[in-house]
Amino acid sequence: QVDLAESGGGSVPPGGSLRLSCSVSGVSRKPEYCMAWFRQAPGKEREGIVAVDPDGRTRYSDSAKNRFVASKDIAKNTLSLEIMHLDPSDTAMYYCAASSIFTNLCLRRTDNYDRWGQGTQVTVSS
């Protein structure tokens, strides 16, 4: 059973930055599965930000390429997401996800992931 736990969300003014973290537990071997970050704003569908291959290769959405940076620490079993130049439109619940099925060429599709964290709230306002 893979468990995910996000942290690092909060309330920040426009232009600020945050670093979100996702800790992975319940794995007894080197994790070789797809992981991703998603977000969901009130009244909107869950949106894929970045998918991360087991080797750390990333695939960002077009809107995330300039301000979002994902990184994977295999030794610590963590996946991070740094968000820069935050805008009120970034206000959302941010989720970490993992797939027990897909292990490469990871995509940002919600239906590719069967393990989800509880989410961490990011609020951007002045």
Side-chain angles (χ1 to χ4, degrees), residues 43-100:
K44 294 188 177 181
E45 292 187 356
R46 195 163 294 190
E47 170 192 14
I49 300 170
V50 58
V52 184
D53 286 359
D55 63 1
R57 185 172 303 183
T58 53
R59 295 181 180 80
Y60 293 93
S61 66
D62 288 341
S63 62
K65 284 179 181 177
N66 294 327
R67 297 189 298 114
F68 293 73
V69 179
S71 59
K72 190 174 184 179
D73 188 328
I74 296 175
K76 295 182 179 180
N77 274 0
T78 59
L79 179 68
S80 299
L81 182 69
E82 184 172 5
I83 315 172
M84 297 165 282
H85 306 299
L86 280 156
D87 182 84
S89 63
D90 294 317
T91 296
M93 187 71 81
Y94 284 71
Y95 297 92
C96 174
S99 174
S100 63

Side-chain angles (χ1 to χ4, degrees), residues 4 19 23 29 72 75 78 98 102 110 114 121 123:
L4 308 176
R19 185 178 180 87
S23 63
R29 57 177 176 82
K72 190 174 184 179
T78 59
F102 295 96
T110 55
D114 53 352
Q121 177 69 38
T123 302

